[in-house]
Amino acid sequence: MPRTPPTWVKQKRKELGARIRGRRLHANLTQEGLAERSTVDRRTLQRIEAGDSDPRYGDLLLIAEALGVPFADLVGCAPAGG
């Protein structure tokens, strides 16, 4: 039986999706274009951008590389030791 994540987790997923969408649009890419560059399925990208799924670490790495942005910037992590 799948468990329902807490509200704050859902909110963080939506924030991540919005960051990815913003970077994708800034790069003038469609979801299909980003899917081709990153090799992440377009439907998966759609669910990630909507905040409807927990993206796999590997998919996030591929998306960051395809967008030409540091992984930490994409996922919204502050640098360590800062």
Coordinates of all heavy atoms in Angstrom, one line a residue:
M1 N 0.8 -1.2 0.0 CA 0.0 0.0 0.0 C 0.9 1.2 0.0 O 1.7 1.4 0.9 CB -0.9 0.0 1.2 CG -1.8 1.1 1.4 SD -2.9 0.7 2.7 CE -4.2 1.8 2.4
P2 N 0.8 2.1 -1.0 CA 1.6 3.3 -1.1 C 1.3 4.3 0.1 O 0.1 4.4 0.4 CB 1.3 3.9 -2.4 CG 0.2 3.2 -3.0 CD -0.1 2.0 -2.1
R3 N 2.3 4.9 0.6 CA 2.1 5.8 1.7 C 2.0 7.2 1.1 O 2.6 7.5 0.0 CB 3.2 5.8 2.7 CG 4.5 6.1 2.2 CD 5.6 5.9 3.2 NE 6.8 6.3 2.5 CZ 8.0 6.5 3.1 NH1 8.0 6.5 4.4 NH2 9.0 6.8 2.4
T4 N 1.2 8.1 1.7 CA 1.1 9.5 1.3 C 2.2 10.3 1.9 O 2.3 10.3 3.1 CB -0.3 10.0 1.7 OG1 -1.3 9.1 1.1 CG2 -0.5 11.4 1.2
P5 N 2.9 11.0 1.1 CA 4.0 11.9 1.7 C 3.4 13.1 2.4 O 2.3 13.5 2.1 CB 4.8 12.3 0.5 CG 3.9 12.2 -0.7 CD 2.9 11.1 -0.4
P6 N 4.1 13.6 3.4 CA 3.7 14.8 4.1 C 3.6 16.0 3.1 O 4.2 16.0 2.1 CB 4.8 15.1 5.1 CG 5.7 13.9 5.1 CD 5.4 13.1 3.9
T7 N 2.8 17.0 3.5 CA 2.5 18.1 2.7 C 3.8 18.8 2.3 O 4.0 19.3 1.2 CB 1.6 19.1 3.5 OG1 0.4 18.4 3.8 CG2 1.3 20.3 2.6
W8 N 4.8 18.9 3.2 CA 6.0 19.7 2.9 C 6.8 19.0 1.8 O 7.5 19.6 1.0 CB 6.9 19.9 4.2 CG 7.5 18.7 4.8 CD1 6.9 17.9 5.8 CD2 8.7 18.1 4.5 NE1 7.7 16.9 6.1 CE2 8.9 16.9 5.3 CE3 9.7 18.4 3.6 CZ2 10.0 16.1 5.3 CZ3 10.9 17.6 3.6 CH2 11.0 16.4 4.4
V9 N 6.7 17.6 1.8 CA 7.4 16.9 0.7 C 6.8 17.2 -0.6 O 7.5 17.4 -1.6 CB 7.4 15.4 1.0 CG1 7.9 14.6 -0.2 CG2 8.2 15.0 2.2
K10 N 5.5 17.2 -0.7 CA 4.8 17.6 -1.9 C 5.1 19.0 -2.4 O 5.3 19.2 -3.6 CB 3.2 17.5 -1.7 CG 2.7 16.1 -1.5 CD 1.2 16.1 -1.2 CE 0.7 14.7 -0.9 NZ -0.7 14.8 -0.6
Q11 N 5.3 19.9 -1.4 CA 5.6 21.3 -1.8 C 7.1 21.3 -2.3 O 7.3 22.0 -3.3 CB 5.5 22.2 -0.5 CG 5.9 23.6 -0.8 CD 5.0 24.3 -1.8 OE1 3.8 24.0 -1.9 NE2 5.6 25.1 -2.7
K12 N 8.0 20.6 -1.7 CA 9.4 20.6 -2.2 C 9.4 20.0 -3.6 O 10.2 20.5 -4.5 CB 10.3 19.8 -1.3 CG 10.5 20.5 0.1 CD 11.3 21.7 -0.1 CE 11.6 22.4 1.2 NZ 12.4 23.6 1.0
R13 N 8.6 19.0 -3.9 CA 8.6 18.4 -5.3 C 8.1 19.4 -6.3 O 8.6 19.5 -7.4 CB 7.7 17.2 -5.3 CG 8.3 16.0 -4.6 CD 7.6 14.7 -5.0 NE 6.2 14.7 -4.9 CZ 5.5 13.7 -4.5 NH1 6.0 12.5 -4.1 NH2 4.2 13.7 -4.4
K14 N 7.1 20.2 -5.9 CA 6.5 21.3 -6.8 C 7.6 22.3 -7.0 O 7.7 22.8 -8.1 CB 5.3 21.8 -6.2 CG 4.1 20.9 -6.3 CD 2.8 21.6 -6.1 CE 1.6 20.6 -6.2 NZ 1.4 20.1 -7.6
E15 N 8.3 22.7 -6.0 CA 9.4 23.7 -6.1 C 10.5 23.2 -7.1 O 11.0 23.9 -7.9 CB 10.0 24.0 -4.8 CG 9.1 24.8 -3.9 CD 9.6 24.9 -2.4 OE1 10.8 24.6 -2.2 OE2 8.8 25.3 -1.6
L16 N 10.9 21.9 -6.9 CA 11.8 21.3 -7.8 C 11.3 21.3 -9.2 O 12.0 21.7 -10.2 CB 12.2 19.9 -7.4 CG 13.0 19.1 -8.3 CD1 14.4 19.7 -8.5 CD2 13.2 17.6 -7.8
G17 N 10.1 20.9 -9.4 CA 9.5 20.9 -10.8 C 9.5 22.3 -11.4 O 9.8 22.5 -12.6
A18 N 9.2 23.3 -10.6 CA 9.2 24.7 -11.1 C 10.6 25.2 -11.5 O 10.7 25.9 -12.5 CB 8.6 25.6 -10.0
R19 N 11.6 24.8 -10.7 CA 13.0 25.1 -11.1 C 13.4 24.5 -12.4 O 14.0 25.1 -13.2 CB 13.9 24.7 -9.9 CG 14.4 25.8 -9.1 CD 15.6 25.4 -8.2 NE 15.4 24.1 -7.5 CZ 14.7 23.9 -6.4 NH1 14.0 24.9 -5.9 NH2 14.6 22.7 -5.9
I20 N 13.0 23.2 -12.5 CA 13.4 22.5 -13.8 C 12.6 23.1 -14.9 O 13.2 23.4 -16.0 CB 13.0 21.0 -13.7 CG1 14.0 20.3 -12.7 CG2 13.1 20.3 -15.0 CD1 13.7 18.9 -12.3
R21 N 11.3 23.4 -14.8 CA 10.6 24.0 -15.9 C 11.2 25.4 -16.2 O 11.3 25.7 -17.4 CB 9.1 24.2 -15.4 CG 8.2 24.8 -16.5 CD 6.8 25.0 -16.1 NE 6.2 23.8 -15.6 CZ 5.9 23.6 -14.3 NH1 6.2 24.5 -13.4 NH2 5.4 22.4 -13.9
G22 N 11.5 26.2 -15.2 CA 12.1 27.5 -15.5 C 13.4 27.4 -16.2 O 13.7 28.2 -17.2
R23 N 14.3 26.5 -15.8 CA 15.6 26.3 -16.5 C 15.3 25.8 -18.0 O 16.0 26.2 -18.9 CB 16.4 25.3 -15.8 CG 16.9 25.7 -14.4 CD 17.9 26.8 -14.5 NE 18.5 27.1 -13.2 CZ 19.7 27.5 -13.0 NH1 20.6 27.5 -14.0 NH2 20.1 27.8 -11.8
R24 N 14.4 24.9 -18.1 CA 14.0 24.4 -19.5 C 13.5 25.5 -20.4 O 14.0 25.6 -21.5 CB 13.0 23.3 -19.3 CG 12.5 22.7 -20.7 CD 11.5 21.6 -20.6 NE 10.3 22.0 -19.9 CZ 9.3 22.7 -20.4 NH1 9.3 23.2 -21.6 NH2 8.2 22.9 -19.7
L25 N 12.6 26.3 -19.9 CA 12.1 27.4 -20.7 C 13.2 28.4 -21.0 O 13.3 29.0 -22.1 CB 10.9 28.1 -20.0 CG 9.7 27.2 -19.8 CD1 8.6 27.9 -19.0 CD2 9.1 26.8 -21.2
H26 N 14.1 28.7 -20.0 CA 15.2 29.6 -20.2 C 16.1 29.1 -21.3 O 16.7 29.9 -22.1 CB 16.0 29.8 -18.9 CG 17.1 30.8 -19.0 ND1 16.9 32.1 -19.1 CD2 18.4 30.6 -19.1 CE1 18.1 32.7 -19.2 NE2 19.0 31.8 -19.2
A27 N 16.2 27.8 -21.5 CA 17.0 27.2 -22.5 C 16.3 27.0 -23.8 O 16.8 26.4 -24.8 CB 17.5 25.8 -22.0
N28 N 15.0 27.6 -23.9 CA 14.2 27.5 -25.0 C 14.0 26.0 -25.5 O 14.0 25.7 -26.7 CB 14.7 28.3 -26.2 CG 14.7 29.8 -25.9 OD1 13.7 30.3 -25.4 ND2 15.7 30.5 -26.2
L29 N 13.7 25.2 -24.5 CA 13.5 23.8 -24.8 C 12.0 23.4 -24.5 O 11.5 23.9 -23.5 CB 14.4 22.9 -24.0 CG 15.9 22.9 -24.4 CD1 16.6 22.1 -23.3 CD2 16.0 22.2 -25.7
T30 N 11.4 22.5 -25.3 CA 10.2 21.9 -24.9 C 10.5 20.7 -24.0 O 11.6 20.3 -23.9 CB 9.4 21.4 -26.2 OG1 10.3 20.4 -26.8 CG2 9.2 22.5 -27.2
Q31 N 9.4 20.2 -23.5 CA 9.6 18.9 -22.7 C 10.2 17.9 -23.6 O 11.1 17.1 -23.2 CB 8.3 18.5 -22.0 CG 7.9 19.3 -20.8 CD 6.7 18.8 -20.2 OE1 5.9 18.1 -20.8 NE2 6.4 19.3 -19.0
E32 N 9.7 17.8 -24.8 CA 10.2 16.8 -25.7 C 11.7 17.0 -26.0 O 12.5 16.1 -26.1 CB 9.4 16.8 -27.0 CG 9.9 15.7 -27.9 CD 8.8 15.1 -28.8 OE1 7.6 15.1 -28.3 OE2 9.1 14.6 -29.9
G33 N 12.1 18.3 -26.2 CA 13.5 18.6 -26.5 C 14.4 18.3 -25.3 O 15.5 17.7 -25.5
L34 N 13.9 18.5 -24.1 CA 14.7 18.2 -22.9 C 14.8 16.7 -22.8 O 15.8 16.1 -22.4 CB 14.2 18.8 -21.7 CG 14.9 18.5 -20.4 CD1 16.4 18.9 -20.4 CD2 14.2 19.2 -19.2
A35 N 13.7 16.0 -23.1 CA 13.7 14.5 -23.0 C 14.7 13.9 -24.0 O 15.5 13.0 -23.6 CB 12.3 14.0 -23.4
E36 N 14.8 14.5 -25.2 CA 15.8 14.0 -26.1 C 17.2 14.3 -25.7 O 18.1 13.4 -25.8 CB 15.6 14.7 -27.5 CG 14.3 14.2 -28.2 CD 14.1 14.9 -29.5 OE1 14.9 15.7 -30.0 OE2 12.9 14.8 -30.0
R37 N 17.5 15.5 -25.1 CA 18.8 15.8 -24.7 C 19.2 15.0 -23.4 O 20.4 14.6 -23.3 CB 18.9 17.3 -24.3 CG 19.2 18.2 -25.3 CD 19.6 19.5 -24.7 NE 19.7 20.5 -25.8 CZ 20.0 21.8 -25.6 NH1 20.3 22.2 -24.3 NH2 20.0 22.6 -26.5
S38 N 18.3 14.7 -22.6 CA 18.6 14.1 -21.3 C 18.4 12.6 -21.3 O 18.9 11.9 -20.4 CB 17.7 14.7 -20.2 OG 16.4 14.3 -20.4
T39 N 17.7 12.1 -22.3 CA 17.3 10.7 -22.4 C 16.3 10.3 -21.3 O 16.1 9.1 -21.0 CB 18.5 9.7 -22.4 OG1 19.2 9.6 -21.1 CG2 19.5 10.0 -23.5
V40 N 15.7 11.2 -20.6 CA 14.7 11.0 -19.6 C 13.3 11.1 -20.4 O 13.1 12.0 -21.2 CB 14.7 12.0 -18.5 CG1 13.5 11.8 -17.5 CG2 16.0 11.9 -17.7
D41 N 12.5 10.1 -20.2 CA 11.2 10.0 -20.9 C 10.4 11.3 -20.7 O 10.4 11.9 -19.6 CB 10.4 8.8 -20.4 CG 9.1 8.6 -21.1 OD1 9.1 8.2 -22.2 OD2 8.0 8.9 -20.5
R42 N 9.7 11.8 -21.8 CA 9.0 13.0 -21.7 C 7.9 13.0 -20.6 O 7.6 13.9 -19.9 CB 8.4 13.4 -23.1 CG 7.7 14.7 -23.0 CD 6.7 15.0 -24.2 NE 5.7 13.9 -24.3 CZ 4.6 13.9 -23.6 NH1 4.4 14.8 -22.7 NH2 3.7 12.9 -23.8
R43 N 7.2 11.8 -20.5 CA 6.1 11.7 -19.5 C 6.7 11.8 -18.1 O 6.1 12.3 -17.2 CB 5.4 10.4 -19.7 CG 4.4 10.5 -20.9 CD 3.8 9.1 -21.1 NE 4.8 8.2 -21.4 CZ 4.8 7.4 -22.5 NH1 3.9 7.5 -23.4 NH2 5.8 6.5 -22.7
T44 N 7.9 11.3 -17.9 CA 8.6 11.4 -16.6 C 8.9 12.8 -16.3 O 8.7 13.3 -15.2 CB 9.9 10.5 -16.6 OG1 9.5 9.2 -16.8 CG2 10.6 10.7 -15.3
L45 N 9.4 13.6 -17.3 CA 9.7 15.0 -17.2 C 8.4 15.7 -16.8 O 8.4 16.6 -15.9 CB 10.3 15.6 -18.4 CG 11.7 15.2 -18.7 CD1 12.1 15.7 -20.1 CD2 12.7 15.8 -17.7
Q46 N 7.3 15.4 -17.5 CA 6.0 16.0 -17.2 C 5.6 15.8 -15.8 O 5.2 16.8 -15.1 CB 5.0 15.5 -18.2 CG 3.7 16.1 -18.1 CD 2.7 15.5 -19.1 OE1 2.8 14.3 -19.5 NE2 1.8 16.3 -19.6
R47 N 5.8 14.6 -15.3 CA 5.4 14.3 -13.9 C 6.3 15.0 -12.9 O 5.9 15.5 -11.9 CB 5.4 12.8 -13.6 CG 4.2 12.1 -14.3 CD 4.1 10.7 -13.9 NE 5.2 9.9 -14.3 CZ 5.2 9.2 -15.4 NH1 4.2 9.2 -16.2 NH2 6.2 8.4 -15.8
I48 N 7.6 15.1 -13.2 CA 8.6 15.8 -12.3 C 8.2 17.3 -12.3 O 8.2 17.9 -11.2 CB 10.0 15.6 -12.8 CG1 10.4 14.1 -12.6 CG2 11.0 16.5 -12.1 CD1 11.8 13.7 -13.3
E49 N 8.0 17.9 -13.5 CA 7.7 19.3 -13.5 C 6.4 19.7 -12.8 O 6.3 20.7 -12.2 CB 7.7 19.8 -14.9 CG 9.0 20.0 -15.6 CD 9.0 20.7 -16.9 OE1 7.9 21.2 -17.3 OE2 10.0 20.8 -17.6
A50 N 5.5 18.7 -12.8 CA 4.2 19.0 -12.1 C 4.3 18.7 -10.6 O 3.4 19.0 -9.9 CB 3.1 18.1 -12.7
G51 N 5.4 18.1 -10.2 CA 5.6 17.7 -8.8 C 4.8 16.5 -8.4 O 4.5 16.3 -7.2
D52 N 4.4 15.7 -9.4 CA 3.6 14.5 -9.1 C 4.4 13.2 -8.9 O 3.8 12.2 -8.6 CB 2.7 14.2 -10.3 CG 1.6 15.3 -10.5 OD1 1.3 16.0 -9.5 OD2 1.1 15.5 -11.6
S53 N 5.7 13.3 -9.0 CA 6.5 12.1 -8.7 C 7.8 12.4 -8.0 O 8.3 13.6 -8.1 CB 6.8 11.4 -10.1 OG 7.8 12.1 -10.8
D54 N 8.4 11.4 -7.4 CA 9.7 11.5 -6.8 C 10.7 11.2 -7.8 O 10.8 10.0 -8.2 CB 9.8 10.6 -5.6 CG 9.1 11.1 -4.4 OD1 9.2 12.3 -4.1 OD2 8.5 10.3 -3.6
P55 N 11.5 12.1 -8.4 CA 12.4 11.8 -9.4 C 13.6 11.0 -8.9 O 14.0 11.1 -7.8 CB 12.9 13.2 -9.9 CG 12.6 14.1 -8.8 CD 11.4 13.6 -8.1
R56 N 14.1 10.1 -9.8 CA 15.2 9.3 -9.5 C 16.5 10.2 -9.5 O 16.5 11.1 -10.4 CB 15.4 8.2 -10.5 CG 14.3 7.2 -10.4 CD 14.3 6.0 -11.3 NE 15.5 6.0 -12.2 CZ 15.6 5.5 -13.4 NH1 14.6 4.9 -13.9 NH2 16.8 5.5 -14.0
Y57 N 17.4 9.9 -8.7 CA 18.7 10.7 -8.6 C 19.3 10.7 -10.0 O 19.8 11.8 -10.5 CB 19.6 10.0 -7.6 CG 20.9 10.7 -7.4 CD1 20.9 11.9 -6.6 CD2 22.1 10.3 -7.9 CE1 22.1 12.6 -6.4 CE2 23.3 10.9 -7.7 CZ 23.3 12.1 -6.9 OH 24.5 12.7 -6.7
G58 N 19.4 9.6 -10.7 CA 20.0 9.5 -12.0 C 19.3 10.4 -13.0 O 20.0 11.0 -13.8
D59 N 18.0 10.4 -13.0 CA 17.3 11.3 -13.9 C 17.6 12.8 -13.6 O 17.8 13.6 -14.5 CB 15.7 11.1 -13.7 CG 15.3 9.8 -14.3 OD1 16.1 9.1 -15.1 OD2 14.2 9.3 -14.0
L60 N 17.7 13.1 -12.4 CA 18.0 14.5 -12.0 C 19.4 14.9 -12.5 O 19.7 16.0 -13.0 CB 17.9 14.8 -10.5 CG 16.5 14.7 -10.0 CD1 16.5 14.9 -8.5 CD2 15.6 15.8 -10.6
L61 N 20.4 14.0 -12.4 CA 21.7 14.2 -12.9 C 21.7 14.4 -14.4 O 22.3 15.3 -15.0 CB 22.6 13.0 -12.6 CG 23.0 12.9 -11.1 CD1 23.7 11.5 -10.9 CD2 23.9 14.0 -10.7
L62 N 20.9 13.6 -15.1 CA 20.8 13.7 -16.6 C 20.1 15.0 -17.0 O 20.6 15.7 -17.9 CB 20.0 12.5 -17.2 CG 20.7 11.2 -17.1 CD1 19.7 10.0 -17.4 CD2 21.8 11.1 -18.1
I63 N 19.1 15.4 -16.3 CA 18.4 16.7 -16.5 C 19.4 17.9 -16.3 O 19.5 18.8 -17.2 CB 17.2 16.8 -15.7 CG1 16.1 15.8 -16.1 CG2 16.6 18.2 -15.8 CD1 15.0 15.6 -15.2
A64 N 20.1 17.9 -15.2 CA 21.0 18.9 -14.9 C 22.1 19.0 -16.0 O 22.4 20.1 -16.5 CB 21.7 18.7 -13.6
E65 N 22.6 17.9 -16.5 CA 23.6 17.9 -17.5 C 23.1 18.4 -18.8 O 23.7 19.2 -19.5 CB 24.2 16.5 -17.7 CG 25.2 16.3 -18.8 CD 26.5 16.9 -18.5 OE1 26.8 17.1 -17.3 OE2 27.3 17.1 -19.4
A66 N 21.8 18.0 -19.2 CA 21.2 18.4 -20.4 C 20.9 19.9 -20.4 O 21.0 20.6 -21.5 CB 19.9 17.6 -20.6
L67 N 20.6 20.5 -19.2 CA 20.4 21.9 -19.1 C 21.6 22.7 -18.9 O 21.6 24.0 -19.0 CB 19.4 22.2 -18.0 CG 18.0 21.7 -18.2 CD1 17.2 21.8 -16.9 CD2 17.3 22.4 -19.3
G68 N 22.8 22.1 -18.7 CA 24.0 22.8 -18.5 C 24.1 23.5 -17.2 O 24.7 24.6 -17.1
V69 N 23.4 23.0 -16.1 CA 23.4 23.6 -14.8 C 24.0 22.7 -13.8 O 23.9 21.5 -13.9 CB 22.0 24.1 -14.4 CG1 21.4 25.1 -15.4 CG2 21.1 22.9 -14.2
P70 N 24.6 23.2 -12.8 CA 25.1 22.4 -11.7 C 24.0 21.6 -11.0 O 22.9 22.2 -10.8 CB 25.8 23.3 -10.7 CG 26.1 24.6 -11.5 CD 25.0 24.6 -12.5
F71 N 24.2 20.4 -10.6 CA 23.2 19.6 -10.0 C 22.6 20.3 -8.8 O 21.4 20.4 -8.6 CB 23.8 18.2 -9.6 CG 22.8 17.3 -8.9 CD1 21.8 16.6 -9.6 CD2 22.9 17.2 -7.5 CE1 20.9 15.8 -8.9 CE2 22.0 16.4 -6.8 CZ 21.0 15.7 -7.5
A72 N 23.5 20.9 -7.9 CA 23.1 21.5 -6.7 C 22.1 22.7 -7.0 O 21.2 22.9 -6.2 CB 24.3 22.0 -5.9
D73 N 22.4 23.4 -8.1 CA 21.5 24.5 -8.4 C 20.1 24.0 -8.9 O 19.1 24.6 -8.5 CB 22.1 25.3 -9.6 CG 23.3 26.2 -9.1 OD1 23.6 26.2 -7.9 OD2 23.9 26.8 -10.0
L74 N 20.1 22.9 -9.6 CA 18.9 22.4 -10.1 C 18.0 21.9 -8.9 O 16.8 22.2 -8.9 CB 19.1 21.2 -11.0 CG 17.9 20.6 -11.7 CD1 17.4 21.6 -12.7 CD2 18.2 19.3 -12.4
V75 N 18.6 21.2 -8.0 CA 17.8 20.7 -6.9 C 17.6 21.6 -5.7 O 16.9 21.4 -4.8 CB 18.3 19.3 -6.4 CG1 18.2 18.3 -7.5 CG2 19.7 19.4 -5.8
G76 N 18.3 22.8 -5.8 CA 18.1 23.8 -4.7 C 18.9 23.5 -3.5 O 18.5 23.9 -2.4
C77 N 20.1 22.9 -3.6 CA 20.9 22.7 -2.4 C 21.9 23.8 -2.2 O 22.5 24.3 -3.2 CB 21.7 21.4 -2.6 SG 20.7 19.9 -2.7
A78 N 22.1 24.2 -1.0 CA 23.1 25.2 -0.7 C 24.5 24.4 -0.6 O 24.5 23.3 -0.2 CB 22.8 25.8 0.7
P79 N 25.6 25.1 -1.0 CA 26.9 24.5 -1.0 C 27.2 24.1 0.5 O 26.9 24.8 1.4 CB 27.8 25.5 -1.5 CG 27.0 26.6 -2.0 CD 25.6 26.4 -1.6
A80 N 27.9 23.0 0.7 CA 28.4 22.6 2.0 C 29.4 23.5 2.5 O 30.2 24.1 1.8 CB 28.9 21.1 1.9
G81 N 29.5 23.6 3.8 CA 30.5 24.4 4.5 C 30.3 25.9 4.4 O 31.2 26.7 4.7
G82 N 29.1 26.3 4.0 CA 28.9 27.7 3.7 C 28.5 28.6 4.6 O 28.6 29.7 4.6

